[in-house]
Amino acid sequence: MCKDARHAWRKSFYPGARLVDPNTIGFDTGHCFELLRMLQFITREQRWKEARRDPEALECAPGAA
């Protein structure tokens, strides 16, 4: 479930994903790897926004050892 309906709508274009309601993205797959890839795609934008505000927010921030 997304707080922002625009975020859910944009991310629902991922192959196999669908918009269940304005704030919920649905995804069906038989492969764990596909689920993980979809989750990475959906959360990527938010993680990088947080990292720009607080570089230590991500363990693997660019330039981190």
Side-chain angles (χ1 to χ4, degrees):
M1 182 164 247
C2 301
K3 293 178 186 177
D4 183 5
R6 290 176 298 167
H7 178 76
W9 179 78
R10 283 193 312 262
K11 300 305 181 171
S12 70
F13 287 99
Y14 184 82
R18 67 188 181 290
L19 197 59
V20 176
D21 64 48
N23 293 336
T24 306
I25 300 167
F27 184 72
D28 294 321
T29 185
H31 302 282
C32 293
F33 181 74
E34 291 300 325
L35 175 62
L36 294 173
R37 187 184 342 213
M38 186 268 308
L39 289 173
Q40 181 180 14
F41 174 80
I42 289 175
T43 60
R44 180 180 306 142
E45 180 180 332
Q46 185 62 35
R47 288 193 327 248
W48 288 114
K49 283 181 181 178
E50 291 171 5
R52 276 186 260 152
R53 279 181 269 156
D54 179 13
E56 295 181 8
L58 291 178
E59 294 175 12
C60 57

